[in-house]
Amino acid sequence: MHRKEVIKMRATLEIPDALIDDLLKVTGERTKTRAICLAIKDYIRRKRREKLLSLSGKIKFDLDWEEMEEIELKGMKEREKLRNSR
């Protein structure tokens, strides 16, 4: 079993007590560290979603799932033929 190495960084931050208290209440977390990590992860997720949504209508692609499936199956058959011919 592999364990993912987690690198942690200590930081000294000046965050208003009222903000931390609200964060602890909203998240339901018991520790400031867990609450802050949860808030940061949520913020990053929302920003990534916003960035993706901002691309709406800017990228054009025409996906025909049936055609893509045909191409994929054809490739699988060709790879199988190559394996069997060795």
Side-chain angles (χ1 to χ4, degrees):
M1 178 191 293
H2 287 311
R3 289 188 177 173
K4 186 176 180 181
E5 184 179 342
V6 178
I7 299 172
K8 297 180 181 183
M9 178 181 74
R10 289 193 156 273
T12 302
L13 306 170
E14 292 184 24
I15 303 171
D17 288 338
L19 190 58
I20 292 292
D21 291 342
D22 284 347
L23 182 62
L24 289 168
K25 287 177 190 170
V26 170
T27 62
E29 293 293 340
R30 292 182 177 188
T31 67
K32 294 174 188 176
T33 299
R34 288 180 62 125
I36 291 169
C37 286
L38 184 63
I40 291 170
K41 287 177 185 176
D42 183 60
Y43 180 81
I44 291 168
R45 183 179 50 79
R46 284 188 289 115
K47 285 297 184 181
R48 286 179 176 160
R49 185 183 319 141
E50 285 175 16
K51 188 175 180 180
L52 281 174
L53 289 173
S54 74
L55 297 174
S56 179
K58 295 180 181 177
I59 299 173
K60 288 192 173 196
F61 57 95
D62 184 24
L63 291 179
D64 179 358
W65 70 270
E66 291 171 328
E67 182 182 340
M68 290 180 67
E69 187 174 29
E70 255 182 63
I71 293 168
E72 185 177 345
L73 289 172
K74 184 179 176 183
M76 288 172 60
K77 287 177 185 177
E78 288 174 5
R79 286 190 296 276
E80 187 66 29
K81 283 180 186 177
L82 286 173
R83 270 191 242 130
N84 291 335
S85 67
R86 291 180 184 177

